[in-house]
Amino acid sequence: MRESRSIVRALVTAAAVGLALLEGCASRPVNEPIARVEPESGYNVARHIARRPDHDPSTLLILAFSGGGTRAAALSYGVLEELRRTPIVVDGHHRRMLDEVDLITAVSGGSFTALAYSLYGEQLFSEYEARFLKRDVQSVLIDRVLNPGYWPRLLSPSYGRSELAADYYDESLFDGATFGDLVEKPTPVAIASATDVVTGNRFPFMQDNFDLICSDFTKLRLSRVAAASSAVPVVLSPITLNNYGGRCGFEFPTWVREAVAERRDRKDAGRGLRRYNELVDLQDSAAHPYLHLVDGGVTDNVAIRTIVEILASIDSGKQLESIRLLRDVRRIAVIVVNAVSSPTVDWGRNEAPPGMFQQLWQSSSVPIDRYSYESMDLLNDIITRWALERRLALAEARLAGREPSADLSRPPIELYAIDVSFRDISDLDERAYCENLPTTLVLAPEAVDRLRRVASSVLRASPAYRRLLEALGAETAETIPAGGSQ
């Protein structure tokens, strides 16, 4: 009898626990739909940049922060510190290079630095190290997954490990902030990107793309974007968004439609037209009602594909007058903070092949890294093409005895591609140290500080960066302090 009562109590307890788990199951946050697109509202890139304090319309300075976990977050933070230390003179006014940054694109680990700087501005330099860079984020996330107190949430089919991570990122770094909180900030625009795991397409988190899927971008939490952009497949779950595309009257800008129309019958239509078709497909919410987003590094680990596609779609003049952001630009500079590593392996010296997990890691990371360097080559190709096309057009005009067209008579746009990567570290021991740092969400404080110093020294040594400083009226290099934190 006593035994049967024990069994009954156990069953009742199990049932109670089961009910508690079911009741406690969390569901993912659902992004809200909009009834109608309002082109002049929200976190609009061109409008936000144009109204930044003392904005210089002649210079567009873009930072691109790569993936690579805390390694990437620290390297990108070091670049922000160096720009903050560098004085320049604009129209007779003393400023810092950091004040000239208009836009930051980012993926994965770099997204934390980009989003946090756009949220906090100067406050970042007093808090970011303690709140994220030198905190063992990875152990906290693992502990929460293993903690039975969090299991009720994780049992929900719509609340995965990345949603759990997003909640922690809110606690530790973002304080529940949304993109609506960035609208009135004087900081640069931040665009973090993820990858749609179903289609393999990039998904940059920006106002235009949320207009395209007819969703309210201003209510999206920064923490969920950071979680999606850094959701390493398998290790972390996708972040899911509802797609309401095709229901709010979205239309592509005129310059985009004109550029696409001109290229449809050209053999070199290429990536620009393919990207346009991907976005058109995204508007079909009946066929694609959900977006399942994972690490942005899968499709663009150096965060410059968005920049490349915009520049590639411009015929170095024809569309410039139609793009408000570029109408008065005479100088475009892209500083790519590339934390892609090359760990030393000796598998080729051993008869035994690498193990299963080593093979999986190598088969995914090597193509991503090679694709990253291809993106840099594409950016340099665009710079070269613009200069060549302009010289040819001017030569043709002179030979024909006619005045240059309007787009040729205006000053040429100077393009600067600046790469901050480990391969440019002059000290070979320091280079090997950085290239062998793991892609994790935890690094020793010493490693974080070394990465910050490396970012500063590599950026300062870049010939393209020095040309940019000269063009912007920077003080001489001798007067700019090197390295260290401020």
Side-chain angles (χ1 to χ4, degrees):
M1 186 69 177
R2 186 177 301 169
E3 183 179 346
S4 61
R5 282 200 299 267
S6 298
I7 294 173
V8 169
R9 280 198 298 270
L11 290 173
V12 169
T13 301
V17 171
L19 287 172
L21 289 175
L22 289 173
E23 290 175 0
C25 280
S27 59
R28 67 176 174 88
V30 176
N31 51 302
E32 298 183 21
I34 55 174
R36 197 76 189 167
V37 167
E38 298 179 12
E40 296 303 313
S41 67
Y43 192 51
N44 180 279
V45 173
R47 189 179 65 256
H48 188 89
I49 291 175
R51 69 184 187 189
R52 292 186 63 227
D54 301 318
H55 169 66
D56 176 11
S58 68
T59 301
L60 181 64
L61 178 54
I62 303 170
L63 308 181
F65 293 165
S66 80
T70 301
R71 185 182 70 242
L75 194 71
S76 56
Y77 181 64
V79 165
L80 292 181
E81 289 182 304
E82 177 62 25
L83 296 175
R84 184 174 181 241
R85 285 190 288 266
T86 305
I88 60 173
V89 179
V90 178
D91 295 330
H93 299 286
H94 290 273
R95 290 167 61 78
R96 307 168 306 176
M97 275 295 289
L98 184 61
D99 300 323
E100 298 304 302
V101 176
D102 298 301
L103 172 66
I104 306 176
T105 61
V107 295
S108 198
S111 295
F112 292 95
T113 307
L115 293 168
Y117 179 61
S118 289
L119 176 63
Y120 294 116
E122 283 296 308
Q123 186 181 343
L124 183 83
F125 298 100
S126 61
E127 298 185 7
Y128 191 49
E129 291 178 59
R131 297 186 69 172
F132 186 79
L133 282 184
K134 294 183 178 179
R135 176 175 286 191
D136 190 347
V137 175
Q138 186 160 295
S139 290
V140 174
L141 295 180
I142 293 172
D143 288 345
R144 292 194 176 191
V145 169
L146 298 177
N147 186 338
Y150 290 95
W151 292 353
R153 303 186 205 179
L154 293 172
L155 285 173
S156 168
S158 64
Y159 185 97
R161 296 179 299 283
S162 287
E163 296 291 359
L164 190 71
D167 288 343
Y168 173 66
Y169 301 152
D170 257 338
E171 296 172 25
S172 62
L173 183 60
F174 295 112
D175 298 331
T178 67
F179 280 91
D181 294 315
L182 302 185
V183 172
E184 300 300 326
K185 298 281 185 180
T187 50
V189 175
I191 302 177
S193 293
T195 301
D196 184 345
V197 75
V198 176
T199 63
N201 297 332
R202 284 182 306 104
F203 187 83
F205 287 90
M206 54 192 298
Q207 186 66 54
D208 288 349
N209 280 349
F210 271 70
D211 287 347
L212 184 120
I213 66 171
C214 299
S215 185
D216 191 340
F217 188 43
T218 62
K219 294 182 180 178
L220 185 68
R221 286 160 40 211
L222 303 185
S223 60
R224 291 194 78 212
V225 173
S229 186
S230 59
V232 178
V234 181
V235 176
L236 291 164
S237 59
I239 290 285
T240 298
L241 298 180
N242 287 35
N243 180 12
Y244 311 102
R247 307 176 192 175
C248 61
F250 172 84
E251 292 184 356
F252 288 97
T254 302
W255 75 268
V256 172
R257 297 197 300 271
E258 290 178 352
V260 169
E262 288 182 8
R263 284 164 169 74
R264 283 196 186 278
D265 298 324
R266 283 169 45 175
K267 292 182 179 179
D268 63 343
R271 67 183 65 86
L273 184 57
R274 286 198 300 272
R275 182 59 178 164
Y276 174 79
N277 290 333
E278 290 171 3
L279 296 176
V280 170
D281 289 342
L282 196 57
Q283 286 187 288
D284 186 357
S285 59
H288 310 285
Y290 300 103
L291 303 176
H292 302 292
L293 304 174
V294 297
D295 198 318
V298 173
T299 48
D300 177 17
N301 203 36
V302 288
I304 64 173
R305 299 299 286 202
T306 299
I307 304 166
V308 164
E309 284 164 3
I310 291 174
L311 295 180
S313 66
I314 300 170
D315 278 333
S316 63
K318 290 183 180 179
Q319 276 83 36
L320 284 176
E321 294 300 328
S322 302
I323 305 173
R324 180 171 56 181
L325 181 61
L326 300 178
R327 196 170 296 157
D328 299 314
V329 167
R330 298 294 177 266
R331 186 182 299 110
I332 299 175
V334 182
I335 301 177
V336 180
V337 186
N338 186 356
V340 172
S341 63
S342 302
T344 304
V345 295
D346 59 357
W347 302 335
R349 298 183 179 183
N350 300 322
E351 181 180 358
M356 179 179 65
F357 292 108
Q358 293 171 320
Q359 291 180 57
L360 286 172
W361 177 257
Q362 194 76 349
S363 63
S364 61
S365 62
V366 169
I368 289 173
D369 293 349
R370 289 185 181 276
Y371 186 70
S372 299
Y373 287 117
E374 180 199 348
S375 297
M376 282 298 300
D377 290 339
L378 286 173
L379 183 59
N380 281 295
D381 287 347
I382 291 170
I383 292 173
T384 303
R385 179 174 67 83
W386 278 26
L388 179 60
E389 286 180 353
R390 182 180 177 80
R391 286 198 296 270
L392 290 174
L394 283 170
E396 288 175 1
R398 293 194 190 98
L399 288 173
R402 64 174 186 269
E403 290 295 320
S405 60
D407 56 293
L408 290 174
S409 60
R410 60 185 287 165
I413 290 182
E414 300 174 84
L415 289 163
Y416 299 81
I418 301 159
D419 185 25
V420 177
S421 63
F422 298 145
R423 62 183 175 181
D424 293 317
I425 300 174
S426 57
D427 186 312
L428 295 182
D429 290 336
E430 187 74 353
R431 175 176 175 175
Y433 172 84
C434 291
E435 288 186 332
N436 281 278
L437 288 172
T439 303
T440 59
L441 285 177
V442 57
L443 285 177
E446 177 199 356
V448 169
D449 290 337
R450 287 176 72 168
L451 286 164
R452 292 162 60 196
R453 290 193 294 270
V454 160
S456 173
S457 61
V458 171
L459 178 60
R460 286 165 52 84
S462 166
Y465 181 63
R466 289 184 170 274
R467 288 196 300 272
L468 176 63
L469 289 179
E470 183 178 355
L472 292 177
E475 298 182 13
T476 60
E478 287 74 17
T479 67
I480 302 172
S485 60
Q486 186 168 322

